[in-house]
Each structure stands twice: as C-alpha cells, then as structure tokens.
C-alpha cells in the first residue's frame, strides 16, 4: 500500500516521507533517509515506542512543529518548513495530503539561501572580505571594494595573496591573519592603511587612513579553518580626533607653562603636582632640589596664613574661591627664596583629573604687591585734597566727594545741614540716605554719570523731608565723584501753587461744562423718554375705546392708570435731578439691575407685548450698580426701545442683558438679533445726535445719543458691535466709584 502511495516516480528521485495524521513516520525513501540521517523503508506502527515522529526528525531543529504545520495546511497557506542539515545544505520540506495520510517531500534551496546571505553581507555597513587560509582573496562586499579602491585596487584582484604584501607586514595587518590561524580565535587591531585626500574649504590635504580591522576564522564541523574573514571599519575621523585631542592637551600644557600669572596644581591630598615657569620664577624655585614634597595641609607656613583652610574649603564645597592674602616670606625660606612681604591675589578652583578621575585643586597666583602700594599712595593723595574741601564750606550749597560705590570722603557744612546730622568719612551715602537707593532718580543718574563719564544735572523731591533738591553729579579724573546739592523747595512750592490754581480753574471750568451738558441731557430725557410712555398711553386709550367688553375696558383703564403713575414718577425723578445744586454731581445710589429692568418693562408693556420680543438676563456676576437711577432707567429704556424698533420680521425678536465685573469696572452687554447696522459705513455716526440709519418712521435719532451722553457723564463708555442682518451688541463700561 505504501509503495503504491509513494509511486515509482518519487522512489529514489525526490526525498519523501509518508506520515500518518498524527505526524508519525510511516515510510522514508532513500534520498530522505540520507538527508535526514534516518533509516530507509517502513517504520513500526504508531503504537510502538520506537516509532519516529515529525517533531523529532524536523520540527525540533527547525522550530516549526507538527500542529502548526497542519494548521498552515488547513488555512490554505503553504505548509513548508526549512531545515539546515549536516551536509551544510538548506532543505525545504513541503507537506501535502495523500488520502488519509500526508506526504512530505524535500527540495534543496541552498543556492537561494546563499544568494540571500550574500545580499545581507553586501548590505552590511562594514567592509567584509573572504580569504583562504593561505591568504588568497576570494570575495568581498561592495564597501570593502570601495575601501581598497581608495588605497590599492590590486588587493581585490582574484588570486591576490595578502601574506606576500610587504606593506601589510609592516603595518601589522598580516600579523592579524597569522594570529588567527595560530590561535583559531578572532584578532583585532587599529591599522593605518595608506593615505587619502581630504578637502576642506577648497584646500586639499593628504591625511592617513585609519581602520579598525578584525579577522575571524570560519571552521568546518571538525574544527578545521576553511576560510578567513576580515572585517574593516573606517575610524579615520575618530583617530584624527584623538590625535587632535592629544595635540590640544599639549597646547594646553604650553599655555599653562607660559601663563603670565602663577599656576600651582595640588592633588587631593594637598601635595604640589605642578608649578608653571612664572610661579617658579616668583618663588625662585629650584625643581632639581630633592626636598620633602610641599603639602599645603601640613606645612606650618601655609597653616600660619590659612592656606590650608582655603584648600580644604575648595575641596569640600567644590566651589571656586578668590581671596587676597598678605604673606611674609621672610618667615619661611625652606621652599622659596623670596625674603619679603607680598600681597597675592589667589584664585582657587576644583577640577576633576581626566585620567584617574580624582579631584585636584588649581591655584592661580597673581602678585598684586605693586598695586597695593599704588593704592596706598593714592589714598595719601586723596587725604591731601581735604584741604581743598575747606573751600567748599564757604559755598552756599551742599557739596560731597565720594567713591564710585558711594563711600563718602568729604561733606561740607551745608551738605551736613541738608542731611540733618554729622557725616563721617567712610560712610556710604546710600546706607545713610536709603531714599537714594534702588530705582531712585539719584541712583539712576549716579549710575549714568559713572557709565558715560559725563556730568548729570537733575532735580528730585524727597517726601520724608518735604524738600526739593537740585543735584549736579560730576565724575572726577582721579576716580572719585563730586556731588553739588541746592535746596529749591521754595521755588518748587511757588510753581506747585501756581499749578494747583490752574488745575482748580480747569476743574471748575469742566464742572460748568458738565453741568450745562447735564441740563441739556435732562431736557432731551424729558422730551424723549416721555414719548414712549405717552405712545403707550394713547395705545391703551385706543384699545379701551375699541373694546366692547366691560372687563377688558376696566383692564385697559387699570393699565392706563399704571402708565400714568410711571410717567408721573419719571417726571418727578427728572425734576429732582435738575434741581440738584450746580456744584454737585448727579446723585448715585445702589441700583439692582433686575429691579430697574422690571420698572422699564412695566413702562414699555404695550410695546413689548405687541412686538413679542423675548427679554433674557444674566445679572449673576454683577447684580447691582452704583449709578444715578434716572440715567440707568433711561439707558435701559432706550436700548430696549431700540431693539423693538429695529427688529426683523424673519424671526422672533430677542434681547439678552448680561452684567459682570472686570478690572474694577462694571460691564453690561445688551445684545439683540435685529436688523443690525453696517459699522464700516455708519459706525462713527451711531451715537450721533438725531442720526438714523434705517427707514423707520418712528426713529428719532436721539435715544443712543442720550444714552452715550449719560454714560460718559458718569465716567463710563459705550461701544457697539454689529453685522447687518445678525443683530447688534452694545458693550457698556460703568465706572465704579
């Protein structure tokens, strides 16, 4: 049966296996037994423990086991598995169903695998080259060909023997191959192979080419080296950078050695590691002497002047330290031939040794003895100038000389009178008079005079003294600063009185203008704000006349009485406002937005009902306002009337009022969905007197003018945002008292 299934065409021609449904081997032909190293012919039934299974023969070594292979076949996908055998051959085994069993046949794919492997090697980012154990060139990837092309193209000629090249024996490249052949292990080395042209900024230079070369052996199954593989990596830039770093280190050593100031380097124990030639010359130090090494921590002379503490402070806190030290070298001649007292400017800072990573301390030593002497002489000269200061005591103005930091050296008698006390040399003017510090005019002009080396003249007021002073700050050629002070309080007070009188006159004039404007506003309010209630009253009377029902007539009469009451109340308010004294502003009171809006809605009841306008509010964030009640009622009435008058018939009219606090002001927005206005054309005329922009017979052009006048009279402002066909939004800013 099995022979019939396998067929004569497969026998001894194609490697083939017959398996049952569970993956047990039933039969193997001769090629398959040779490739897989298993017995040829039939196998025992599956129940026998000696029966071979697919997983043992192929699955374990390939990583693809029997259940997965069957699953691939069931899913309609290629049921294949690839296996590498002991003959260094790649085989692809294909599974196909055969009745109630499976046939597994093999195909040699070694050639295809070699091509794939070669493609990977050619794409490898390093140069790769194959040699025989005798050093004969066999093959190389593209990068390796490029490397030899730049150095010596003859190295890739077939039959070329690397071992016969004398240049490689000198560079040590041949030694790598010899070492690998001898030890059977990879060997690596950095090698300089020839030279290359390097162009920078149109300048071509010849530079050496450095490579990191690794040679490793390829062995067969018994451990014999069958091939040598060389891997090359271009490290020219890294090597050149390393050489540049060494060059920079040498340059740094030269710079340190030739510094114009002393350089001393201590290790972390306090021993001197290095002294440059400037410091050696200063110490008159003989480096050939075999004295006990100097240690700054233990040396008595160093401890006498606190040099050990400076060293330890820098080591512990890891921070730079700069101090001036006065040292008497005559007290210790063990390590210096200096025999005098000197002043040294010492700068100590910590460093990390790049080699052993230990912390070290570097000290820069600058001899400032001569500078100190010059400074002392200058102080003597300054003291001699005190005689000249006697002259300034006779001058009727304050005079002071000081250092650039404000330290006073002289203040004349008049200056002390202005200061209010005796001034001692050495006091600092900014500490003595704190009002001159920080961003005061004096400090600003003082700094400007020093920066520009130009005299600064100015005046300044001192509130604590109720005084005005005029200053002249002049930098002197010797580095000091002279300051002249003159009391100009009387002159300033006269100017201030004159300014106050003019200001009071201007305020009175503005008050008169404002009162006249208020009288005019009240006249407009009287004529304009009564028009709508009277119109409502006429409408109610007409509705009363037209109604035939008694209860409706009574209801209209009730509304008439209420409108008449509101009119009377408005007239009384206007009369009260007009009668306020001329020199008093319009009276303000605490008003609730919701209450005043309800009052206006009652006055405009008929207009609101007839128009069907929907009024919505949001007074949550600013429910009240300090404002004249007649003004606020007039503003609300005008804006509501405006929304009713300029509504559109396309949709239900709406008006939304919202209030809030912002930057100390009370804000109110009144936004409708009416006809809107072209702000580019009419925006500048929107609040003008008797200005109308729609063909509405009821428009008088005075409502918004009055509203704007009332708001601005109270220190506020109003503006509008509008788009034709999309409504208008009024934004009102009320000044908060």
């Amino acid at each position: 049966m099995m022979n019939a299934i396998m067929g004569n065409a497969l026998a001894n021609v194609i490697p083939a296996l017959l398996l049952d449904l569970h993956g047990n081997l039933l039969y193997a032909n001769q090629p398959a037994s040779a490739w897989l190293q298993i017995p040829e012919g039939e196998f025992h039934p599956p129940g026998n423990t000696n029966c071979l299974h697919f997983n043992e023969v192929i699955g374990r070594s390939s990583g693809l086991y029997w259940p997965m292979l069957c699953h691939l076949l069931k899913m309609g996908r290629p049921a294949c598995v690839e296996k590498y055998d002991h003959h260094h051959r790649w085989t692809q085994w294909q599974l196909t169903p055969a009745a109630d069993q499976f046939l597994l046949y093999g195909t040699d794919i070694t050639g295809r695998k070699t091509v794939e492997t070669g493609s990977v090697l050619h794409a490898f980012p390093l140069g790769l080259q194959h040699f025989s154990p005798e050093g004969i060139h066999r093959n190389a990837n593209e990068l390796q060909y490029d490397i030899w092309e730049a150095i010596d193209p003859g190295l890739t000629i077939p039959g070329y023997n690397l071992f016969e090249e004398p240049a490689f024996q000198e560079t040590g490249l041949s030694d790598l191959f010899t070492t690998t052949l001898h030890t059977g292990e990879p060997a690596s080395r950095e090698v300089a192979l020839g030279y290359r042209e390097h162009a920078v900024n149109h300048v071509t230079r010849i530079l050496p080419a450095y490579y990191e070369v690794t040679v490793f052996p390829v062995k067969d199954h018994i451990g014999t080296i069958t091939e040598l593989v060389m891997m090359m990596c271009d490290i020219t830039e890294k090597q050149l950078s390393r050489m540049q770093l060494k060059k920079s280190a040498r340059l740094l050593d030269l710079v340190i050695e030739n510094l114009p100031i002393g350089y001393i380097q201590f290790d972390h124990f306090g021993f001197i590691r290095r002294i440059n030639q400037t410091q050696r010359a200063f110490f008159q130090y003989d480096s050939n002497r075999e004295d006990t090494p100097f240690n700054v921590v233990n040396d008595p002379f160093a401890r006498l002047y606190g040099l050990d503490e400076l060293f330890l402070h820098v080591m512990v806190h890891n921070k730079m330290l700069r101090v001036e030290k006065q040292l008497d070298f005559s007290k210790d001649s063990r390590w210096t031939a200096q025999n005098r007292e000197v002043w040294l400017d010492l700068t100590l800072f910590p460093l990390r040794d790049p080699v052993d990573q230990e912390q070290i301390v570097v000290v820069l030593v600058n001899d400032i003895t001569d500078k100190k002497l010059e400074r002392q002489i200058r102080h003597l000269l300054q003291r001699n100038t005190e005689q000249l200061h006697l002259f300034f005591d006779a001058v009727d103005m304050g005079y002071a000389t000081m250092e650039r930091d404000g330290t006073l050296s002289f203040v004349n008698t008049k200056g002390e009178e202005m200061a209010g006390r005796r001034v001692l040399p050495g006091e600092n003017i900014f500490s003595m008079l704190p009002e001159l510090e920080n961003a005061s005019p004096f400090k600003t002009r003082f700094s400007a005079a020093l920066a520009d080396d130009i005299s600064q003249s100015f005046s300044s007021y001192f509130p604590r003294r109720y005084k005005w002073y005029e200053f002249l700050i002049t930098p002197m050629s010797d580095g000091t600063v002279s300051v002249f002070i003159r009391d100009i309080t009387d002159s300033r007070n006269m100017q201030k009185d004159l300014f106050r009188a003019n200001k009071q006159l201007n305020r009175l004039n503005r008050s008169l203008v404002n009162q006249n404007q208020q009288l005019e506003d009240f006249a407009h309010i009287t004529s304009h704000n009564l028009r709508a209630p009277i119109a409502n009253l006429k409408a109610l009377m007409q509705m009363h006349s037209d109604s035939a029902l008694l209860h409706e007539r009574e209801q209209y009469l009730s509304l008439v009485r209420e409108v008449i009451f509101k009119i009377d109340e408005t007239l009384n308010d206007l009369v009260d406002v007009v009668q306020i004294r001329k020199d008093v502003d319009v009276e303000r009171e605490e008003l609730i937005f919701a209450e005043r809006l309800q009052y206006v809605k009652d006055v405009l009841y008929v207009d609101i009902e007839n128009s069907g306008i929907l009024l919505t509010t949001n007074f949550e964030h600013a429910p009240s306002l300090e404002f004249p009640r007649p003004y606020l009622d007039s503003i609300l009435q005008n804006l509501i009337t405006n929304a009713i008058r300029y509504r559109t018939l396309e949709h239900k009219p709406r008006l939304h009022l919202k209030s809030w606090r912002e930057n100390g002001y009370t804000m109110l927005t009144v936004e409708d969905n009416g006809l809107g206005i072209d702000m580019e054309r009419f925006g500048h005329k929107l609040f003008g007197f008797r200005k109308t922009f729609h063909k509405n017979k009821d428009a008088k052009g005075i409502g918004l003018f009055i509203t704007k006048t009332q708001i601005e009279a109270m220190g506020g402002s109003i503006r509008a945002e509008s788009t034709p066909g999309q409504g208008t939004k009024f934004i009102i800013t009320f000044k908060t008292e």
Side-chain angles (χ1 to χ4, degrees):
M1 177 192 67
M2 294 180 186
N3 289 334
I5 294 175
M6 295 293 291
N8 293 329
L10 295 178
N12 299 323
V13 177
I14 300 175
L17 301 174
L18 189 66
L19 302 93
D20 64 12
L21 298 177
H22 303 289
N24 297 305
L25 268 66
L26 302 177
Y27 182 82
N29 69 355
Q30 191 277 329
S33 66
W35 285 17
L36 298 174
Q37 291 186 303
I38 59 175
E40 178 186 359
E42 295 186 7
F43 290 83
H44 297 286
N48 193 310
T49 58
N50 294 327
C51 182
L52 289 175
H53 191 271
F54 168 86
N55 292 343
E56 299 174 68
V57 177
I58 297 177
R60 187 177 293 110
S61 60
S62 65
L64 185 64
Y65 292 90
W66 180 254
M68 180 57 71
L69 194 64
C70 293
H71 179 71
L72 292 173
L73 186 65
K74 183 178 180 181
M75 296 296 293
R77 301 177 61 183
C80 302
V81 59
E82 296 178 356
K83 184 179 182 303
Y84 187 75
D85 60 24
H86 64 286
H87 292 298
H88 307 291
R89 177 178 53 220
W90 280 94
T91 309
Q92 183 185 71
W93 294 91
Q94 175 73 43
L95 184 68
T96 59
D100 58 346
Q101 296 166 340
F102 290 97
L103 181 64
L104 191 67
Y105 61 89
T107 303
D108 187 347
I109 61 170
T110 304
R112 188 176 69 193
K113 279 289 183 179
T114 302
V115 173
E116 293 175 358
T117 303
S119 300
V120 173
L121 292 177
H122 279 284
F124 203 61
L126 302 175
L128 288 176
Q129 188 169 4
H130 297 253
F131 294 89
S132 69
E134 294 76 25
I136 304 298
H137 162 72
R138 287 182 174 175
N139 191 17
N141 65 356
E142 293 182 4
L143 182 57
Q144 186 67 13
Y145 280 115
D146 293 339
I147 292 174
W148 289 132
E149 182 68 25
I151 299 174
D152 187 355
L155 297 170
T156 56
I157 297 175
Y160 171 79
N161 192 314
L162 180 71
F163 296 158
E164 296 178 355
E165 179 62 51
F168 292 153
Q169 295 176 4
E170 295 177 4
T171 59
L173 184 61
S174 299
D175 293 342
L176 288 176
F177 285 85
T178 303
T179 302
T180 301
L181 286 171
H182 178 70
T183 63
E185 299 294 333
S188 181
R189 177 182 295 178
E190 293 181 0
V191 180
L193 299 175
Y195 293 86
R196 289 185 301 190
E197 294 183 353
H198 186 67
V200 177
N201 296 329
H202 307 291
V203 177
T204 302
R205 297 177 180 174
I206 305 299
L207 298 176
Y210 293 93
Y211 293 89
E212 183 177 15
V213 182
T214 301
V215 178
F216 55 89
V218 177
K219 304 177 182 179
D220 59 13
H221 65 283
I222 61 175
T224 301
I225 297 178
T226 60
E227 193 173 39
L228 294 173
V229 179
M230 179 176 66
M231 182 169 61
M232 296 180 65
C233 177
D234 190 345
I235 59 169
T236 301
E237 291 188 9
K238 181 174 72 174
Q239 187 69 12
L240 292 177
S241 299
R242 190 182 304 164
M243 294 169 63
Q244 183 64 33
L245 182 61
K246 292 180 180 179
K247 181 179 178 181
S248 299
R250 291 195 300 270
L251 179 60
L252 179 60
D253 288 341
L254 290 174
V255 171
I256 291 175
E257 187 65 19
N258 294 279
L259 278 175
I261 62 175
Y263 176 92
I264 307 176
Q265 186 182 110
F266 294 91
D267 65 11
H268 62 288
F269 294 111
F271 288 99
I272 291 181
R273 291 175 47 166
R274 179 176 181 179
I275 300 179
N276 71 345
Q277 64 175 3
T278 302
Q279 192 63 34
R280 289 196 299 270
F282 175 77
F283 282 158
Q284 301 178 25
Y285 178 77
D286 185 4
S287 59
N288 295 323
R289 293 189 307 178
E290 296 182 356
D291 297 339
T292 303
F294 176 81
N295 186 288
V296 72
V297 178
N298 301 324
D299 184 78
F301 181 81
R303 299 177 69 176
L304 174 65
Y305 290 101
L307 302 180
D308 58 332
E309 296 178 358
L310 297 178
F311 172 82
L312 294 174
H313 180 86
V314 174
M315 285 290 292
V316 172
H317 297 283
N318 196 32
K319 290 183 178 179
M320 186 188 76
L321 183 65
R322 183 175 183 180
V323 296
E324 291 183 0
K325 280 287 184 179
Q326 187 178 12
L327 306 178
D328 187 359
F329 285 130
S330 64
K331 295 182 179 180
D332 192 343
S333 59
R334 292 179 300 121
W335 52 282
T336 176
Q338 288 279 2
N339 192 23
R340 63 189 179 98
E341 189 176 63
V342 298
W343 277 90
L344 299 180
D345 180 6
L346 304 176
T347 302
L348 300 86
F349 53 91
L351 289 177
R352 182 72 62 181
D353 190 296
V355 179
D356 54 23
Q357 295 300 309
E358 292 181 348
Q359 182 165 295
I360 60 177
V361 173
V362 170
V363 183
L364 300 180
V365 184
N366 191 16
D367 183 3
I368 58 172
T369 306
D370 294 339
K371 293 182 180 179
K372 282 287 184 179
L373 293 176
E374 291 175 1
R375 192 178 304 170
Q376 293 174 1
I377 294 173
R378 189 176 66 209
H379 289 165
L380 291 174
L381 293 175
Q382 290 176 347
R383 282 196 294 269
N384 292 334
T385 59
E386 291 180 359
Q387 296 179 357
L388 296 176
H389 295 162
L390 296 175
F391 165 77
F392 293 103
D393 281 335
V395 180
D396 189 23
M397 66 171 56
Y399 173 76
T401 58
M402 64 190 71
E403 299 291 337
R404 299 175 74 88
D405 62 353
T407 302
L408 293 164
S409 57
F410 173 77
V411 178
N412 71 348
T413 304
K414 189 67 175 180
E416 290 181 335
E417 290 178 4
M418 292 179 176
R421 68 175 182 86
R422 174 75 176 172
V423 180
L424 300 176
E427 288 190 81
N428 191 286
I429 190 172
F430 299 111
S431 300
M432 185 180 69
L433 301 173
E435 57 266 36
L436 301 182
E437 185 55 277
N438 300 327
S440 68
F442 182 89
K443 184 62 178 293
T444 302
R445 296 300 185 94
F446 187 86
S447 301
L450 297 183
D452 300 333
D453 198 26
I454 298 176
S455 297
Q456 294 283 335
S457 178
F458 65 98
S459 58
S460 182
Y461 179 68
F462 293 82
R464 288 174 50 192
R465 302 172 182 270
Y466 303 103
K467 292 285 187 179
W468 277 94
Y469 294 107
E470 186 176 53
F471 295 92
L472 174 63
I473 302 175
T474 303
M476 308 301 290
S477 59
D478 62 353
T480 61
V481 182
S482 293
V483 180
F484 297 86
I485 313 106
R486 188 163 62 93
D487 189 342
I488 59 170
T489 304
D490 293 340
S491 174
R492 281 285 184 169
N493 286 340
M494 292 178 61
Q495 295 178 8
K496 187 175 181 181
D497 291 341
L498 180 60
F499 175 78
R500 187 183 297 112
N502 290 333
K503 185 176 181 181
Q504 186 175 1
L505 183 61
N506 291 333
R507 186 184 301 111
L508 179 61
N509 184 51
R510 287 196 302 271
S511 177
L512 292 174
V513 173
N514 187 44
Q515 290 178 7
N516 290 334
Q517 183 65 45
Q518 289 181 19
L519 291 174
E520 185 178 348
D521 289 347
F522 296 153
H524 287 305
I525 292 171
T526 304
S527 62
H528 180 73
N529 286 27
L530 293 179
R531 182 179 292 110
I534 292 174
N536 280 322
L537 186 61
K538 291 181 178 179
L540 288 172
M541 293 298 297
Q542 184 65 40
M543 294 168 66
H544 175 270
S545 301
D546 295 342
S547 177
L549 299 176
L550 180 61
H551 69 279
E552 286 185 356
R553 293 169 63 87
E554 292 179 353
Q555 183 178 3
Y556 291 141
L557 284 176
S558 176
L559 293 174
V560 167
R561 285 192 294 271
E562 185 173 349
V563 171
I564 292 174
F565 175 77
K566 298 295 184 182
I567 294 173
D568 181 65
E569 185 179 11
T570 299
L571 286 173
N572 291 334
D573 289 340
L574 293 174
V575 170
D576 292 340
V577 171
V578 171
Q579 291 178 348
I580 296 176
R581 289 180 303 170
K582 294 182 179 180
D583 58 345
V584 179
D585 293 334
V586 181
E587 182 181 356
R588 297 170 179 262
E589 57 182 297
E590 185 73 19
L591 303 176
I592 308 299
F593 275 117
E595 293 179 359
R596 302 321 304 163
L597 178 63
Q598 184 59 48
Y599 169 81
V600 174
K601 289 169 62 177
D602 292 341
V603 173
L604 302 177
Y605 173 78
V606 174
D607 288 343
I608 293 174
E609 288 296 318
N610 290 340
S611 65
I613 191 170
L614 176 63
L615 297 178
T616 59
T617 63
N618 181 2
F619 300 135
E620 177 183 355
H621 299 292
S624 63
L625 172 69
E626 190 88 6
F627 205 73
R629 179 163 50 87
Y631 279 14
L632 183 59
D633 291 349
S634 175
I635 292 168
L636 295 175
Q637 180 175 322
N638 282 330
L639 293 177
I640 294 175
T641 303
N642 192 76
I644 294 174
R645 185 171 295 155
Y646 301 111
R647 66 185 182 275
T648 177
L649 300 179
E650 298 177 357
H651 44 254
K652 182 179 180 64
R654 297 176 183 272
L655 185 68
H656 181 69
L657 295 89
K658 177 182 178 181
S659 63
W660 73 93
R661 312 282 186 201
E662 182 177 309
N663 298 328
Y665 293 90
T666 299
M667 308 296 295
L668 175 68
T669 58
V670 182
E671 185 173 4
D672 63 43
N673 63 343
L675 296 174
I677 186 172
D678 188 343
M679 295 298 291
E680 292 186 3
R681 294 181 58 191
F682 307 116
H684 64 289
K685 299 181 179 180
L686 181 61
F687 298 100
F689 182 69
R690 295 191 177 278
K691 300 294 182 181
T692 59
F693 310 102
H694 295 285
K695 297 179 180 180
N696 190 316
K697 64 180 182 178
D698 297 329
K700 303 299 182 180
I702 194 172
L704 292 181
F705 171 76
I706 294 177
T707 297
K708 181 176 183 293
T709 304
Q710 293 167 339
I711 294 171
E712 291 181 347
M714 296 295 103
S717 63
I718 182 172
R719 61 186 178 88
E721 297 175 356
S722 182
T723 302
Q726 298 183 17
T728 303
K729 179 179 181 181
F730 293 95
I731 302 97
I732 305 172
T733 301
F734 294 102
K735 183 179 180 181
T736 304
E737 289 292 326

